[in-house]
């Protein structure tokens, strides 16, 4: 197993590989972002990006069709967009509509264009569109009275590729699904999924094009809920299923789907990352564990 | 000394490659280097670094620190690291995200979450699911499976492969077709087993240190061998296939016993108690009848003729009895078996009445005869494992498929099942026809094999038994529909897992296209743009798939992505072609201006192909042709050597209505060396004045133009020593240059005034 030591001077908050697994970006409480070039087991630090004035929480690589572009969000309430051209990294845009920490960022499926979803502790979400001519268009909406901890995009539906949806999780213990209303030019709430009894810490919408939609939500109430809905049936409702019948030993912080095989990874306060997969009977089974 | 009759399980199993290969130490209690979780009984992967003391670890947890992970964009991988969440990192819950906080406060809070030691900032790779083994042997195996199962996958033919033959028609033809299809399924299974054996052999050869893969393949072979014996055998094969299953799963006799027998002097084994009590028994009970007879013949048992005539007679009769055991005949004709069993029973009755001088040997032989005549207590006594007991019952009680569940029940009651390795449990699922359980369990061993096994089971109609059961209790779909959906899901999962591996991407694509064209379109339109294109062949393949599935938008996306990558790597012409093919006019134009700028600042074009295409005028695409025209003009101007400048072209370029105005400063620099050389005519000088006037107005009216002009001019001047220098009339050779773009305009005006004055003086 390869490790990278002393990557930052502060705690790491995110570490993401780009689409081809050739670049690794990490961000930290030390307010910096580091870019590593990955070649097999070799990780070479090539750049340290400075620009945020607070801890950097999350990073997101844009689809390669937009070039080598990375977004970062921070406690300073800003989202910065970074681009590499001919080996030189530049800060090419700044998105600063939020009045408090920006907790998560997520690029939309590339079909929609260069759209970035941001969720913030000010209770608002924003989607900023970066146009080819350098202009930005922003849609901001209130999603939660207290704060939004996480948000991500639904996979595009081939039958209705223009219909954009996002899912958010926040301090009101709810998972909410929002649909872009072209007439109102904003995102309107489509579903409110109740099940958690404490803050929702993370949400993940499986990008696997399966017969069902799968959303996973991780909460401070020590549960992970899998929300499913039939793709083919327009009148279907969201079904709720606990990932495990008993509670996790500690807070569930983060959930993430694999692209293939629909494996769900869960990180928890018990210092473990566990891997889960649905079996043929529709039950979720633990298929692996990474321990501290 | 015993020769040529030792049972070699692998060779007997038709696997000649295995002869030289030692089996992995599968019964090791350490289970390789895998740690099994106490509660979950699942393998645990540990992040390998120095252990953190529990006290500080628990402090971490109190501070909200935890092991966190982030998944990568497309595959099955991610990164694991120690982290803390925003609120625990920065502020207490009450004052969280105070909007009035100053940067100072943020800084102080950030200070509080500095790491305590370096361990906190380490990064560890994470695999969501075991990566597909992409060794050449494994790729060959997977590709071979795909080729074998192509017919069944096509339009999901496996769903109704056997039942399709039940339609109305000529009975004899229907029967023939059904037989052909059944044979085809049998062939697929035997070929799958054969391929697994080959893969296992090559895996052991190539990676002798790591036996975990080989153990897994061995388990799969055991399971498939049983499936072969129970559901895919010919009527005359069942006994032999069950023997092969047990003998492959658990090799007997053991090496020590074989070695002892081999080292014994020729013709003296009849005196060796172990020969009769262990070696011969094992040979007979495992069905190695020919080898057993050969061993008896070479043991020197004839010596008993004089010394112990009853024993001699018993050995002779036993030899004759086992020689007449015909597994092929008995598998098919129970009457023939019953006749043989009658002979065995007669010999048992007769043996009881015999008197032996070598009492112990005699007792062992009586025990053997009792066992093969089907005496249950004798059979049980001579087994160590449940599957051995099952085999003995099947061979000697009655070789009937109808009795299988009875034998398995008895075997399970008499012997425990080893659950450390999954094959025994999965085999029990197969015996009890719990195929879904078996498939699920197989999936943990090997996703490819489990999926193709599920396809085989479905194709052979073995899943029909689930047709009236609603699996999830939802009552919407029939059980069979649910199973078919589950199998479709497995196939899709398998294809998706292949799509995350470059080597298997085309196989995954093939599976998707074969099974469901519309689904393939959906998935591939998502996945193809993420496929890492490394060669022209890859590129063409991606585009051919887009063409086949009619995915023009995906093709455009691929062209755009590839265009970006090629541009980044300096392949300017190819990248322009990609953007052009994608219909991305904006990108074509912006890229051309980027190349234009580089040429203007550097003095030459790096991309030789673009040079060549411009030289030969071989650019056919109308969009591209139009876009590169200013570039071609500039190149033409720059490539002119000698005392003159192609003034008309220069004017054409600098007055081009779409030329970004900020390039004009550097373009005007090109003129500098030609002043005071009698190059320009009066008309040309007047034209330059017009150009300067327009440019000056642009700078004065548009601050962005002024700013960018200044920047381009500064960059050009600062890089003049690294830029190309073609000759005397290269502006880079001038010793003194104006300080900025406005100074340049002024300087040119002065030079023009001087030249015009000079011309008047001359006249």
């Amino acid at each position: 197993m390869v490790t990278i030591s002393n990557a930052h001077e502060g705690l790491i908050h995110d570490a993401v590989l780009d689409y081809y697994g050739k670049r690794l970006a990490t961000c930290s409480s030390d307010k910096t972002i580091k870019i590593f070039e990955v070649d097999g087991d070799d990780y070479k630090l090539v750049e340290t990006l400075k620009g945020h004035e607070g801890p950097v929480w999350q990073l997101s690589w844009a689809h390669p069709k937009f070039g080598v572009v990375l977004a970062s969000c921070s406690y300073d309430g800003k989202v910065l967009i970074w681009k590499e051209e001919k080996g030189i990294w530049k800060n090419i845009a700044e998105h600063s509509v939020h009045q408090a920490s920006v907790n998560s960022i997520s690029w939309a499926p590339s079909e929609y264009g260069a759209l970035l979803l941001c969720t913030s502790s000010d209770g608002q979400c924003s989607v900023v569109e970066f146009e080819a001519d350098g202009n930005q268009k922003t849609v901001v909406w209130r999603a939660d009275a207290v704060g939004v901890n996480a948000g991500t995009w639904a996979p595009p539906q081939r039958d209705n590729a223009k219909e954009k949806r996002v899912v958010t999780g926040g301090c009101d213990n709810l998972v909410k699904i929002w649909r872009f209303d072209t007439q109102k030019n904003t995102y309107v709430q489509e579903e409110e999924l109740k099940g958690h009894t404490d803050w929702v810490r993370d949400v993940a919408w499986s990008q696997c094009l399966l017969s069902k939609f799968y959303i996973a939500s991780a909460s401070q109430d020590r549960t992970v809920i899998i929300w499913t809905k039939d793709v083919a049936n327009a009148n279907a409702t969201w079904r709720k299923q606990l990932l495990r019948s008993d509670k996790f030993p500690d807070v569930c912080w983060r959930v993430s789907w694999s692209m293939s095989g629909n494996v769900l990874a869960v990180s928890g306060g018990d210092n473990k990352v566990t891997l889960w997969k649905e079996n043929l009977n529709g039950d979720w089974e633990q298929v692996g564990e990474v321990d501290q | 000394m015993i020769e040529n009759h030792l049972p070699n399980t692998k060779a007997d199993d038709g696997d000649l490659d295995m002869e030289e290969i030692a089996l992995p130490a599968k019964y090791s209690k350490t289970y390789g280097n895998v740690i099994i979780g106490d509660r979950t009984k699942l393998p645990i992967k540990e992040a390998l670094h120095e252990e953190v003391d529990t006290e500080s670890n628990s402090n971490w947890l109190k501070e909200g620190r935890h092991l966190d992970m982030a998944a990568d964009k497309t595959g099955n991988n991610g990164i694991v690291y120690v982290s803390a969440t925003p609120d625990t990192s920065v502020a207490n819950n009450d004052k969280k995200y105070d909007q009035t906080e100053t940067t100072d406060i943020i800084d102080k809070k950030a200070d509080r979450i500095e790491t305590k030691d370096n361990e906190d900032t380490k990064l560890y790779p994470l695999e969501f699911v075991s990566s597909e083994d992409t060794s050449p042997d494994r790729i060959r195996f997977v590709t071979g499976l795909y080729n074998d199962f192509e017919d069944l996958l096509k339009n999901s033919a496996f769903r109704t492969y056997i039942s399709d033959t039940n339609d109305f028609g000529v009975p004899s033809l229907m029967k023939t077709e059904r037989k052909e299809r059944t044979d085809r399924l049998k062939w697929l299974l035997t070929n799958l087993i054969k391929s697994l054996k080959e893969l296992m052999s090559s895996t052991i050869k190539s990676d002798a240190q790591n036996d975990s893969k080989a153990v897994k393949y061995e388990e799969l072979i055991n399971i498939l061998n049983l499936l072969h014996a129970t559901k895919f055998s010919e009527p005359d094969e069942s006994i032999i296939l069950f023997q092969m299953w047990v003998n492959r799963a658990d090799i007997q006799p053991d090496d020590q016993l074989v070695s002892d027998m081999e080292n014994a002097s020729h013709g003296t084994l009849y005196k060796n108690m172990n020969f009769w009590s262990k070696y011969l028994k094992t040979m007979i009970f495992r069905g190695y009848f020919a080898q057993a007879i050969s061993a008896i013949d070479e043991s020197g048992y004839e010596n008993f003729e004089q010394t112990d005539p009853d024993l001699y007679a018993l050995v002779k009769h036993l030899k004759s009895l086992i020689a007449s055991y015909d597994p092929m005949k008995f598998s098919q004709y129970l009457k023939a078996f019953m006749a043989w069993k009658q002979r065995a029973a007669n010999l048992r009755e007769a043996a009881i009445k015999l008197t032996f001088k070598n009492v112990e040997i005699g007792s062992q032989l009586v025990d053997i005869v009792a066992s093969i005549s089907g005496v249950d207590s004798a059979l049980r006594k001579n087994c160590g494992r449940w599957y051995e007991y099952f085999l003995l019952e099947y061979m000697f009680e009655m070789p009937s498929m109808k009795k299988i569940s009875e034998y398995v029940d008895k075997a399970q009651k008499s012997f425990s099942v080893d659950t450390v390795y999954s094959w025994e449990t999965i085999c029990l699922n197969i015996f009890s026809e719990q195929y879904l359980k078996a498939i699920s369990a197989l999936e943990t061993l090997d996703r490819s094999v489990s999926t193709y096994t599920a396809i085989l089971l479905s194709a052979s109609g073995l899943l029909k038994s689930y047709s009236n059961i609603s699996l999830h209790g939802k009552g919407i779909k029939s059980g069979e529909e649910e199973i078919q959906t589950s199998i479709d899901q497995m196939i899709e999962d398998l294809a998706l897992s292949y799509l995350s591996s470059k080597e298997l991407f085309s196989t995954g694509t093939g599976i998707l296209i074969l099974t469901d064209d519309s689904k393939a379109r959906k998935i591939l339109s998502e996945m193809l743009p993420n496929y890492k294109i490394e060669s022209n062949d890859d590129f063409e393949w991606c585009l051919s798939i887009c063409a086949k599935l009619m995915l023009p938008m995906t093709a455009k996306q691929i062209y755009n992505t590839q265009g970006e990558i090629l541009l980044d790597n300096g392949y300017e012409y190819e990248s322009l072609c990609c953007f052009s093919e994608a219909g991305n006019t904006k990108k074509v134009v912006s890229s051309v201006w980027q190349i234009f700028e580089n040429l203007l600042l550097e003095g030459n074009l790096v991309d030789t192909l673009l040079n060549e295409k411009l030289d030969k005028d071989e650019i056919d695409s109308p969009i591209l042709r139009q876009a590169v025209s200013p570039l071609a003009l500039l190149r033409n101007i720059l490539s002119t050597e000698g005392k003159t400048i192609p003034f008309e072209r220069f004017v054409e370029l600098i007055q081009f209505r779409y030329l970004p105005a900020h390039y004009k400063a550097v373009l005007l620099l090109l003129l500098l060396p030609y002043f005071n050389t009698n190059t320009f005519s009066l008309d040309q000088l007047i034209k330059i004045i017009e150009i300067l006037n327009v440019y000056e107005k642009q700078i004065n009216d548009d601050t962005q133009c002024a700013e960018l002009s200044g920047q381009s001019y500064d960059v050009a001047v600062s890089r003049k020593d690294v830029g190309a220098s073609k000759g005397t009339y290269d502006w880079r050779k001038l010793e003194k240059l104006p300080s900025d773009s406005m100074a340049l305009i002024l300087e040119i005006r002065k030079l023009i005034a001087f030249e015009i004055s000079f011309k008047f003086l001359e006249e």
Side-chain angles (χ1 to χ4, degrees):
Chain A
M1 183 177 271
V2 183
T3 59
I4 306 170
S5 299
N6 309 328
H8 282 276
E9 288 170 14
L11 275 177
I12 294 166
H13 294 294
D14 205 5
V16 286
L17 284 160
D18 72 358
Y19 276 78
Y20 301 128
K22 287 290 170 194
R23 292 181 187 84
L24 170 70
T26 60
C27 62
S28 157
S29 289
D30 66 9
K31 306 170 198 171
T32 68
I33 297 154
K34 291 187 188 271
I35 310 289
F36 297 84
E37 263 178 16
V38 185
D39 185 8
D41 287 347
D42 292 331
Y43 289 74
K44 184 182 158 200
L45 177 66
V46 290
E47 190 65 89
T48 300
L49 306 176
K50 292 177 181 169
H52 282 295
E53 293 161 15
V56 188
W57 300 140
Q58 225 175 65
L59 301 166
S60 184
W61 290 100
H63 190 274
K65 82 174 194 185
F66 303 113
V68 183
V69 174
L70 181 72
S72 60
C73 66
S74 162
Y75 182 79
D76 63 12
K78 287 178 192 163
V79 174
L80 300 181
I81 310 297
W82 311 84
K83 184 166 189 180
E84 189 226 56
E85 267 175 3
K86 300 193 185 304
I88 298 165
W89 281 91
K90 286 180 195 160
N91 174 211
I92 56 162
E94 181 177 317
H95 171 63
S96 45
V97 299
H98 291 287
Q99 305 301 310
S101 173
V102 180
N103 298 322
S104 82
I105 42 174
S106 169
W107 288 103
S110 59
E111 291 89 327
Y112 299 156
L115 264 65
L116 187 71
L117 167 69
C118 315
T119 67
S120 168
S121 294
D122 63 7
Q124 300 199 100
C125 295
S126 62
V127 170
V128 53
E129 181 171 7
F130 298 92
E131 294 178 324
D133 56 8
N135 290 330
Q136 293 180 21
K137 274 188 202 163
T138 306
V139 176
V140 185
W141 75 98
R142 177 152 290 281
D144 188 306
V146 190
V148 193
N149 294 324
T152 191
W153 295 83
Q157 289 305 294
R158 194 54 51 184
D159 307 334
N160 197 353
K162 296 279 175 196
E163 202 163 78
K164 299 191 259 292
R165 278 187 180 81
V166 297
V167 60
T168 59
C171 303
D172 56 5
N173 312 343
L174 296 170
V175 173
K176 292 174 182 168
I177 296 170
W178 307 84
R179 181 178 53 78
F180 184 65
D181 187 320
T182 44
Q183 296 203 323
K184 292 180 181 164
N185 194 35
T186 189
Y187 286 78
V188 292
Q189 189 176 310
E190 191 175 65
E191 299 278 356
E192 192 176 87
L193 306 178
K194 291 176 185 167
H196 289 295
T197 55
D198 206 336
W199 290 13
V200 178
R201 281 296 185 175
D202 198 12
V203 285
W205 196 318
S206 171
Q207 297 296 308
C208 245
L209 292 156
L210 306 169
S211 55
K212 282 187 281 188
F213 291 118
Y214 287 83
I215 294 174
S217 56
S219 167
Q220 203 143 307
D221 66 9
R222 299 194 283 135
T223 66
V224 170
I225 296 180
I226 307 293
W227 310 87
T228 55
K229 185 179 161 183
D230 280 346
V231 172
N233 182 0
N235 299 319
T237 52
W238 286 92
R239 289 163 54 88
K240 180 173 72 177
Q241 186 180 7
L242 281 168
L243 185 68
R244 55 185 269 184
S245 50
D246 56 340
K247 289 199 171 187
F248 277 81
D250 209 314
V251 177
C252 299
W253 292 118
R254 202 154 174 181
V255 277
S256 202
W257 294 101
S258 74
M259 270 300 283
S260 59
N262 225 25
V263 172
L264 179 71
V266 179
S267 74
D270 58 347
N271 233 15
K272 281 178 182 164
V273 175
T274 50
L275 304 174
W276 301 80
K277 192 172 188 317
E278 190 179 19
N279 66 19
L280 292 175
N281 292 325
D283 300 322
W284 289 86
E285 287 176 344
Q286 193 180 330
V287 292
E289 183 173 299
V290 180
D291 211 337
Q292 169 68 41
Chain B
M1 181 79 178
I2 296 170
E3 291 172 348
N4 300 327
H5 49 71
L6 294 176
N8 182 327
T9 310
K10 308 303 171 207
D12 292 344
D13 205 0
D15 185 1
L16 297 172
D17 289 344
M18 286 299 299
E19 282 176 350
E20 298 167 9
I21 299 161
L23 269 183
K26 55 189 287 188
Y27 295 110
S28 153
K29 293 292 177 196
T30 58
Y31 316 130
N33 48 11
V34 178
I35 300 166
I36 306 292
D38 288 339
R39 189 180 58 79
T40 61
K41 304 295 177 201
L42 288 165
I44 296 176
K45 288 180 189 175
E46 282 204 294
L48 298 178
H49 63 91
E50 284 171 30
E51 203 170 322
V52 179
D53 70 83
T54 36
E55 197 180 333
S56 76
N57 202 340
S58 67
N59 284 338
W60 279 3
L61 301 184
K62 280 177 200 159
E63 291 163 18
R65 295 185 185 199
H66 59 275
L67 198 62
D68 211 335
M69 53 81 200
D72 70 4
K73 279 284 184 187
T74 53
N76 296 319
N77 303 314
I79 302 282
V80 175
Y81 48 89
V82 174
S83 189
T85 43
D87 45 323
T88 48
S89 292
V90 178
N92 61 43
N93 283 351
D94 297 339
K95 285 193 68 183
K96 190 164 46 218
Y97 315 127
D98 184 346
Q99 294 169 21
T100 61
E101 278 177 329
T102 62
T103 309
D104 252 10
I105 297 172
I106 294 172
D107 283 344
K108 280 176 192 164
K109 285 174 176 176
D111 287 345
R112 271 192 269 144
I113 52 167
E114 287 301 304
T115 52
K116 287 176 179 170
D117 52 54
N118 291 336
E119 292 298 330
D120 293 6
T121 63
K122 279 188 175 176
L123 299 162
Y124 305 92
L126 163 73
E127 276 186 348
F128 270 50
V129 284
S130 302
S131 312
E132 269 298 328
D133 175 2
T134 50
S135 62
D137 293 321
R138 175 74 188 184
I139 299 287
R140 203 175 309 119
F141 170 73
V142 169
T143 315
L145 279 183
Y146 168 70
N147 291 333
D148 286 351
F149 281 79
E150 205 172 336
D151 291 352
L152 289 183
L153 284 168
K154 196 167 188 180
N155 299 323
S156 301
F158 63 88
R159 291 182 176 199
T160 50
Y161 191 70
I162 288 293
S163 56
D164 262 1
T165 58
N166 288 336
D167 295 341
F168 297 105
V170 181
S172 61
L173 288 179
M174 280 164 49
K175 200 174 170 186
T176 310
E177 194 188 346
R178 193 180 174 86
K179 174 82 173 77
E180 278 172 5
R181 291 193 177 197
T182 310
D183 287 348
R184 168 81 185 151
L185 295 179
K186 282 177 187 166
W187 179 86
L188 283 171
L189 180 61
T190 49
N191 207 44
L192 171 57
I193 296 170
K194 182 170 161 268
S195 305
L196 264 173
K197 286 175 183 172
E198 286 167 1
L199 178 62
M200 183 182 163
S201 305
S202 54
T203 303
I204 294 172
K205 278 178 190 162
S206 61
D207 190 6
Q209 301 301 313
N210 182 2
D211 63 8
S212 61
K213 278 193 236 168
V215 170
K216 189 179 75 176
Y217 294 143
E218 184 64 37
E219 290 203 67
L220 289 168
I221 291 167
N222 293 342
I223 295 158
L224 295 177
N225 271 342
L226 180 69
L227 192 62
H228 187 195
T230 51
K231 295 295 170 190
F232 292 86
S233 59
E234 293 292 341
D236 59 357
E237 285 178 339
S238 66
I239 294 177
I240 290 172
L241 290 177
F242 280 125
Q243 286 171 353
M244 279 171 61
W245 167 59
V246 172
N247 289 330
R248 170 101 199 182
D250 181 12
I251 299 169
Q252 291 291 342
D254 63 46
D255 291 346
Q256 185 59 50
L257 184 58
V258 172
S259 169
D260 290 348
M261 298 300 119
E262 279 178 341
N263 295 332
S265 303
H266 186 76
T268 60
L269 272 175
Y270 74 99
K271 290 187 277 189
N272 187 334
M273 191 57 202
N274 275 347
F275 173 75
W276 302 103
S277 65
K278 292 182 180 170
Y279 189 72
L280 188 64
K281 268 188 178 174
T282 309
M283 300 286 239
I284 293 170
F285 295 159
R286 288 301 186 100
Y288 296 120
F289 299 124
Q291 290 91 334
I293 291 164
S294 178
I296 293 171
D297 285 343
E298 291 175 23
S299 68
Y301 81 98
E302 297 87 350
N303 290 306
F304 288 137
E305 190 171 5
Q306 301 302 322
T307 57
D308 196 344
D310 278 4
L311 189 60
Y312 174 73
L314 182 57
V315 173
K316 272 191 76 174
H317 281 102
L318 176 64
K319 232 181 81 180
S320 158
L321 185 66
I322 58 177
S324 61
Y325 191 96
D326 186 341
M328 291 181 75
K329 193 173 174 185
F330 295 168
S331 294
Q332 207 168 2
Y333 304 108
L334 282 179
K335 274 189 181 171
F337 170 76
M338 294 311 290
W340 181 88
K341 195 172 173 181
Q342 185 60 51
R343 277 184 63 199
N346 294 342
L347 182 61
R348 183 188 69 215
E349 294 303 321
I352 295 166
K353 294 169 189 162
L354 296 175
T355 315
F356 308 114
K357 288 189 178 150
N358 294 284
V359 180
E360 282 188 33
I361 295 173
S363 156
Q364 291 300 330
L365 286 170
V366 169
D367 188 36
I368 292 173
V369 174
S371 297
I372 64 177
S373 67
V375 174
D376 205 38
S377 57
L379 288 176
R380 193 181 297 115
K381 195 176 71 181
N382 286 302
C383 300
R385 305 264 181 187
W386 67 271
Y387 43 81
E388 279 185 317
Y389 186 35
F390 165 83
L391 180 64
L392 286 185
E393 288 274 347
Y394 194 81
M395 282 199 301
F396 301 121
E397 171 61 27
M398 188 186 288
S400 164
M401 288 288 193
K402 288 177 186 164
K403 303 274 277 180
I404 282 180
S405 58
E406 182 191 318
Y407 298 155
V408 173
D409 280 351
K410 277 168 77 175
Q412 272 187 274
K413 279 174 189 160
S414 303
F415 298 94
S416 61
V417 175
D418 187 349
T419 52
V420 171
Y421 289 94
S422 46
W423 74 266
E424 288 192 30
T425 315
I426 301 176
C427 282
L428 285 171
N429 290 333
I430 291 174
F431 272 129
S432 56
E433 300 187 343
Q434 290 177 295
Y435 297 116
L436 284 189
K437 267 193 179 177
I439 294 167
S440 291
L442 265 176
E443 206 177 4
T444 61
L445 287 174
D446 189 301
R447 193 199 302 235
S448 299
V449 173
S450 69
T451 306
Y452 286 112
T453 306
I455 291 170
L456 259 183
L457 291 169
S458 175
S460 57
L462 288 169
L463 303 181
K464 291 274 177 200
S465 56
Y466 291 89
S467 57
N468 297 319
I469 308 162
S470 179
L471 291 176
H472 302 169
K474 292 159 201 158
I476 300 164
K477 294 175 181 173
S478 75
E480 194 180 352
E481 273 177 308
E482 282 183 23
I483 289 168
Q484 290 303 352
T485 309
S486 298
I487 294 175
D488 290 345
Q489 191 65 65
M490 283 182 81
I491 294 170
E492 198 177 307
D493 277 359
L494 182 71
L496 283 169
S497 73
Y498 288 170
L499 293 186
S500 66
S501 149
K502 175 148 176 63
E503 292 84 350
L504 291 170
F505 197 96
S506 57
T507 307
T509 303
I511 292 173
L512 287 171
I513 293 174
L514 278 178
T515 46
D516 186 344
D517 218 35
S518 62
K519 197 71 172 268
R521 290 188 77 230
K522 284 183 185 176
I523 294 174
L524 289 172
S525 64
E526 282 290 306
M527 300 298 282
L528 272 177
N530 300 330
Y531 177 70
K532 192 173 180 212
I533 293 169
E534 287 176 335
S535 64
N536 277 341
D537 286 349
D538 286 351
F539 194 20
E540 280 170 20
W541 178 79
C542 281
L543 295 174
S544 70
I545 297 293
C546 290
K548 185 172 182 174
L549 296 176
M550 290 179 285
L551 295 168
M553 295 309 289
T554 309
K556 280 185 181 179
Q557 209 172 347
I558 291 169
Y559 271 123
N560 273 325
T561 307
Q562 205 52 21
E564 286 287 351
I565 292 166
L566 289 166
L567 190 62
D568 202 37
N569 292 330
Y571 297 103
E572 290 162 342
Y573 177 71
E574 287 95 332
S575 77
L576 290 175
C577 289
C578 285
F579 293 135
S580 164
E581 286 289 341
N584 192 345
T585 318
K586 270 188 183 175
K587 189 70 195 178
V588 171
V589 172
S590 68
S591 302
V592 167
W593 285 122
Q594 188 63 48
I595 298 166
F596 180 93
E597 185 179 300
N598 290 343
L599 174 60
L600 195 59
L601 297 177
E602 305 292 337
N604 60 20
L605 270 182
V606 180
D607 185 2
T608 48
L609 186 60
L610 182 57
N611 278 324
E612 202 178 302
K613 294 286 175 187
L614 289 170
D615 283 343
K616 293 182 180 170
D617 193 17
E618 279 181 350
I619 296 172
D620 298 326
S621 155
I623 298 175
L624 205 52
R625 232 183 133 73
Q626 199 177 341
V628 298
S629 59
L631 183 68
L633 265 177
L634 177 64
R635 200 170 156 275
N636 193 275
I637 293 162
L638 293 176
S639 64
T640 311
E641 289 183 13
K643 200 171 172 292
T644 57
I645 183 165
F647 192 76
E648 296 304 320
R649 285 180 184 159
F650 178 82
V651 172
E652 199 183 332
L653 177 61
I654 207 160
Q655 288 188 331
F656 179 51
R657 61 186 290 204
Y658 298 111
L659 175 81
H662 62 271
Y663 292 142
K664 288 185 181 176
V666 188
L667 281 172
L668 286 168
L669 266 177
L670 300 177
L671 297 179
L672 268 188
Y674 294 96
F675 287 105
N676 298 325
T677 60
N678 210 15
T679 303
F680 302 118
S681 66
L682 193 57
D683 288 344
Q684 286 176 331
L685 290 169
I686 292 165
K687 193 76 193 168
I688 297 172
I689 293 169
E690 281 173 21
I691 291 167
L692 290 176
N693 289 345
V694 171
Y695 181 40
E696 203 166 30
K697 189 171 185 308
Q698 283 176 318
I699 289 178
N700 290 332
D701 292 352
D702 184 349
T703 48
Q704 196 186 9
C705 171
E707 197 181 320
L708 290 172
S709 289
Q711 283 174 10
S712 333
Y713 185 80
D714 289 348
V715 172
V717 171
S718 67
R719 293 179 58 78
K720 74 174 188 128
D721 294 333
V722 285
S725 181
K726 291 192 181 66
T728 323
Y729 293 92
D730 189 329
W731 62 270
R732 293 175 182 82
K733 293 207 165 171
L734 296 175
E735 281 184 12
K736 201 175 170 193
L737 289 168
S739 58
D740 56 37
S741 51
M742 288 307 284
L744 173 71
I745 293 172
L746 193 62
E747 177 68 19
I748 295 175
R749 286 193 190 283
K750 278 183 193 169
L751 290 167
I752 292 170
F754 184 80
E755 283 225 14
I756 292 174
S757 308
F758 196 74
K759 280 184 194 297
F760 275 119
L761 282 174
E762 270 185 343
E763 282 175 13

